[in-house]
Amino acid sequence: IYTLSLHDALPISLSSSAFTTVAKNAAAAGIPSISLLNPVASADTISLGANDWLQGADLAAQVAKDIGGKGMVLDVHGISGVGIDIAAYDGVKAVFKLCPGITTNDTIYDQFADATAKSDVQTYLETHPQKIAAAMTSGSGATGVLEGFQAAGKTVPEIANDSMEDGELAYWYQHKAS
């Protein structure tokens, strides 16, 4: 009997290629593999998950509508090269390509960590004085983006996020009238 454990895949990675050997070994032992977060590029794995491209496109369409089709949008990525982030922002870019009045900056990668998002957004805002019409995040980090705007003394814009965090939900609840 082959026992598949997380230790077989350590270090745990958001990269699907890190799991292909584990999936192959499990298949050889007759154990099915299912990936629930990132797709694994292996015939030995069934990958289940959301349509990340469509989520990004839907978020971008709502943001474009909310900001009247113009303004600077700060795109705050998770980790460079991660499939979820790539697919979501491919959807975002496809929508914003149809909106000539929207410009973006997508140089910030927050490593899916609020502390990094806060620090990097604050630094960005202190060195880029133009008004930000909206911010978009992929995965966790939205609370840090919110805190980065506050720490820089800037008005918090609409923040579109494809996941939900306690901090951003609490902020929304406190400011839902506006």
Side-chain angles (χ1 to χ4, degrees), residues 13-138:
S13 171
L14 292 174
S15 169
S16 69
S17 62
F19 294 101
T20 55
T21 300
V22 174
K24 182 178 180 180
N25 292 342
I31 301 169
S33 297
I34 300 172
S35 174
L36 299 175
L37 180 59
N38 284 312
V40 175
S42 168
D44 298 317
T45 302
I46 297 170
S47 297
L48 303 172
N51 183 335
D52 301 311
W53 187 97
L54 183 59
Q55 277 186 302
D58 283 346
L59 286 172
Q62 186 64 52
V63 166
K65 178 182 173 187
D66 292 348
I67 66 174
K70 60 185 172 196
M72 167 62 84
V73 176
L74 184 60
D75 294 337
V76 181
H77 293 267
I79 298 173
S80 180
V82 171
I84 291 171
D85 189 83
I86 292 168
Y89 279 102
D90 283 349
V92 168
K93 290 174 185 176
V95 169
F96 285 165
K97 186 177 181 181
L98 303 173
C99 305
I102 293 177
T103 56
T104 62
N105 182 304
D106 63 350
T107 59
I108 297 175
Y109 286 84
D110 66 12
Q111 311 307 309
F112 296 125
D114 285 321
T116 303
K118 177 182 177 181
S119 174
D120 290 356
V121 167
Q122 180 181 1
T123 299
Y124 176 86
L125 294 172
E126 290 171 349
T127 58
H128 295 80
Q130 72 270 29
K131 182 180 186 249
I132 304 296
M136 300 193 65
T137 66
S138 172

Side-chain angles (χ1 to χ4, degrees), residues 74 76 110 113-122 125 134-137 140-161 165-175:
L74 184 60
V76 181
D110 66 12
D114 285 321
T116 303
K118 177 182 177 181
S119 174
D120 290 356
V121 167
Q122 180 181 1
L125 294 172
M136 300 193 65
T137 66
S140 59
T143 302
V145 171
L146 162 71
E147 292 172 346
F149 275 90
Q150 291 171 327
K154 303 287 186 177
T155 300
V156 176
E158 175 174 342
I159 299 174
N161 180 270
E165 296 177 44
D166 294 345
E168 68 178 313
L169 185 57
Y171 181 86
W172 169 82
Y173 185 76
Q174 292 169 354
H175 298 87

